[in-house]
Amino acid sequence: STDFKEEEILFGAISPGGHSLVPDEEYVAAVTAADVVEEGGLNGFDAITLQKKLSGKIVSVQPWIGELYEGMRGSTRPQDMETLLQLTYLYFTEPRRDEQAYQAYRQQRLANVENRESSPMRIFWDTVRTAIYQNHFRARPWSIEVLEEMDLDESLEVYRERFADAGDFTFIFVGNFRPVELEPLLVRYLGSLPSGGRVETWRD
């Protein structure tokens, strides 16, 4: 706890594993999984409706899946701390499938790829990356062919698997809170997350 900023609490959660643990055929679905979930909303609410529900609150939670770790990051103010924990709980337990939101996200990625292919500097750095990683499957530059490997259901499957067990996550809070007041909320929302004692590490 700190009083460095009166109206800010920063939050992070991290667990080893990441998309290093998924097979190659699910790699693209894995690296887009967190974005797909964020675009889809939570617990029966699409992303737009969810934002309306959060009107008047200052809170954000964002899931992520990296190469070696997965986790969440976020921030809030002291009076909205319970909402942050509610969102965290739902990101673990109630990701929402939304075909329409997925297609919009996919079109956005397609536009980015088309813009990349018209940039000489981007093509140069893609070529450098390909050389450095010796044409490794998981270091391919984004292209229309790579985008074809995206899959909504595979992304949701990877996401649910990565966040299925909160037992090996470390949760970190920094900001203006009193531990004695925060503890009951942590017990209620984080203590009730699914945990089967899974212990993992990332794969080279």
Side-chain angles (χ1 to χ4, degrees), residues 23-175:
D24 282 351
E25 59 266 24
E26 296 178 4
Y27 173 72
V28 173
V31 297
T32 56
D35 287 343
V36 166
V37 166
E38 200 170 4
E39 294 292 330
L42 294 169
N43 192 34
F45 299 112
D46 62 46
I48 295 174
T49 305
L50 185 60
Q51 286 304 312
K52 291 179 180 177
K53 291 283 186 183
L54 296 173
S55 177
K57 297 182 181 295
I58 299 178
V59 59
S60 70
V61 178
Q62 180 182 33
W64 56 269
I65 300 176
E67 181 182 8
L68 306 180
Y69 297 88
E70 63 271 346
M72 297 188 190
R73 64 178 66 91
S75 63
T76 190
R77 57 185 178 178
Q79 56 266 47
D80 295 328
M81 185 66 193
E82 185 168 13
T83 302
L84 180 138
L85 292 172
Q86 289 170 340
L87 290 172
T88 301
Y89 180 88
L90 291 174
Y91 270 120
F92 269 94
T93 61
E94 296 290 342
R96 179 179 177 275
R97 187 186 191 281
D98 190 321
E99 180 72 35
Q100 186 175 355
Y102 169 75
Q103 292 300 334
Y105 168 70
R106 192 176 183 281
Q107 285 301 118
Q108 183 182 34
R109 295 302 296 254
L110 178 61
N112 290 340
V113 165
E114 291 172 344
N115 289 336
R116 287 168 65 94
E117 293 180 349
S118 65
S119 166
M121 184 60 70
R122 190 67 264 169
I123 292 173
F124 170 75
W125 284 114
D126 284 349
T127 304
V128 170
R129 178 180 172 86
T130 299
I132 289 173
Y133 290 103
Q134 301 176 32
N135 291 304
H136 195 284
F137 180 85
R138 296 188 178 218
R140 294 172 297 165
W142 282 98
S143 66
I144 293 175
E145 291 74 24
V146 172
L147 273 176
E148 289 298 317
E149 298 174 27
M150 288 179 62
D151 185 279
L152 171 58
D153 291 320
E154 277 192 4
S155 286
L156 290 172
E157 183 179 343
V158 169
Y159 181 91
R160 289 187 177 109
E161 195 281 328
R162 288 291 78 222
F163 291 91
D165 191 326
D168 63 349
F169 275 79
T170 299
F171 295 87
I172 303 158
F173 298 88
V174 178

Side-chain angles (χ1 to χ4, degrees), residues 1-12:
S1 59
T2 172
D3 58 3
F4 184 70
K5 289 186 177 181
E6 285 188 6
E7 289 294 303
E8 183 177 79
I9 298 173
L10 303 179
F11 155 74

